[in-house]
Amino acid sequence: MQSISRRALLALPLALAAAPGWSLAQAAWPSRPVRIVVPFAPGGTTDILARALAPELSKALGQPVVVENKAGAGGNLGAAEVARAPNDGHTLLMGTVGTHGINQSLYPKLPYEPVKDFAPVTLVAAVPNVLVFNPAKAQALGIRGVSDLIRYARANPGKLNMASSGNGTSIHLAGELFKSQTGSYMVHFPYRGSGPALMDLIGGNVDLMFDNLPSAMPHIRAGKLKALAVTSAQRSEALPDLPTIAEAGPVKGYEATSWFGLLAPAGTPAAVVERLQQETARALGAAALKERLLSQGAVPSGMPPADFAKLIASETRKWAEVVKASGAKVD
């Protein structure tokens, strides 16, 4: 058997480093803990998904995967932080339809470029929103379903308070679209994430909310929130008896769903993005995590980066039309 000379062994790292698409830094990735920045407060669906995924990625990558919450400005603060981070694969964003589909149409100026500043990794999950009401207030006002809500809101403009996880989020826009299509007016109260908004809703400080299903589900099951309808075109498998808003209103053509996905700073090596996508898809396809997310109303994905980029482009066009038609503004 022919032996390899000492000179050849010493030259091997240099030869590999010169190969197209390869670097010594990539070979060692990840060399330290990986951060997933959640651009909203703890307790919302963005946070729930990131914390469900992080342990699985940690096992696959051999490094801790840490979730950090950076809330504010409808997700813009956290997104901007990741856009400015080193593109070495150690800082990621759990982006949303808000940060990468809605905000550029809603805000006059963003502190980041949704396309230029990011490398799409993969769609983690898509979820419907759910229209939920404070149970005591719903009973007091005689609101048993969506049609009751529409009648009351039309007859009493400005008397209902609508919470959201922040200006420009899918939760905010779902409510604005509902107001536009039903000719009703409710006062918008933006929070720094679903978690604090839900707590005020349960406490009776606000009346209703179009929340992401995974974050609202435990409170619906516990009887702390009254669910009226889901915002998707079809009913959710997690709550099959709950009608859609289009069915229950009826509000013809109403649909407002949310999605969440991993993004890295632009310029992150393609090999790192590819491995992140593969490990995420593998984790989301595992029975335990898949069933856990489905039971909460989230539909796991794991699509390739190119497909995720196409989804972002199509969602940007769609929500630009919704913002224009609804007249939604940052308040």
Side-chain angles (χ1 to χ4, degrees):
M1 179 176 178
Q2 187 176 2
S3 62
I4 301 175
S5 70
R6 183 172 180 273
R7 180 178 294 178
L9 286 172
L10 290 173
L12 182 60
L14 295 176
L16 287 173
W22 196 97
S23 72
L24 291 172
Q26 284 175 241
W29 182 87
S31 59
R32 61 181 187 275
V34 174
R35 277 197 314 153
I36 299 178
V37 175
V38 169
F40 298 100
T45 297
T46 321
D47 187 65
I48 289 170
L49 291 173
R51 293 184 188 279
L53 181 61
E56 304 306 316
L57 284 182
S58 180
K59 286 187 284 187
L61 299 177
Q63 287 282 356
V65 176
V66 181
V67 175
E68 294 185 9
N69 298 87
K70 182 76 172 182
N76 292 343
L77 293 185
E81 180 173 310
V82 176
R84 295 189 297 265
N87 55 5
D88 56 10
H90 291 92
T91 302
L92 307 172
L93 175 72
M94 183 62 83
T96 71
V97 64
T99 62
H100 282 76
I102 296 172
N103 287 4
Q104 58 189 300
S105 296
L106 197 67
Y107 286 80
K109 186 175 181 180
L110 293 181
Y112 62 94
E113 291 280 349
V115 175
K116 180 181 175 183
D117 291 346
F118 293 90
V121 176
T122 188
L123 177 69
V124 172
V127 304
N129 293 331
V130 58
L131 171 54
V132 286
F133 219 100
N134 176 279
K137 289 199 173 182
Q139 184 175 8
L141 298 176
I143 295 175
R144 295 174 296 276
V146 177
S147 58
D148 295 328
L149 170 60
I150 294 171
R151 281 195 295 271
Y152 182 87
R154 284 173 174 169
N156 300 276
K159 287 191 176 181
L160 291 175
N161 297 326
M162 180 186 77
S164 84
S165 55
N167 284 311
T169 61
S170 67
I171 294 169
H172 172 203
L173 264 291
E176 294 294 343
L177 184 62
F178 180 85
K179 288 158 59 176
S180 174
Q181 292 191 355
T182 59
S184 58
Y185 175 67
M186 298 174 283
V187 181
H188 175 220
F189 279 75
Y191 288 75
R192 292 171 66 89
S194 281
L198 285 168
M199 291 304 98
D200 264 10
L201 179 58
I202 291 168
N205 296 319
V206 288
D207 303 316
L208 68 142
M209 183 175 176
F210 290 77
D211 193 34
N212 300 142
L213 189 50
S215 48
M217 184 74 83
H219 306 299
I220 294 170
R221 288 175 172 162
K224 295 179 180 179
L225 291 176
K226 179 179 178 62
L228 301 185
V230 291
T231 66
S232 48
Q234 290 82 35
R235 295 191 181 198
S236 168
E237 292 183 18
L239 292 172
D241 295 331
L242 194 66
T244 67
I245 285 179
E247 289 178 308
V251 186
K252 186 178 180 181
Y254 182 93
E255 180 183 2
T257 55
S258 301
W259 52 260
F260 307 82
L262 289 177
L263 300 106
T268 298
V272 171
V273 171
E274 182 180 1
R275 187 174 175 205
L276 276 168
Q277 183 272 324
Q278 290 173 349
E279 298 296 359
T280 301
R282 191 173 293 116
L284 294 171
L289 182 56
K290 183 178 181 180
E291 289 305 315
R292 176 181 169 187
L293 296 182
L294 286 171
S295 70
Q296 294 175 325
V299 181
S301 178
M303 65 172 54
D307 292 340
F308 188 29
K310 290 178 183 177
L311 173 68
I312 291 172
S314 65
E315 285 287 281
T316 299
R317 292 190 295 270
K318 169 188 171 180
W319 286 103
E321 294 175 2
V322 172
V323 170
K324 183 178 180 181
S326 67
K329 292 180 175 62
V330 174
D331 48 12

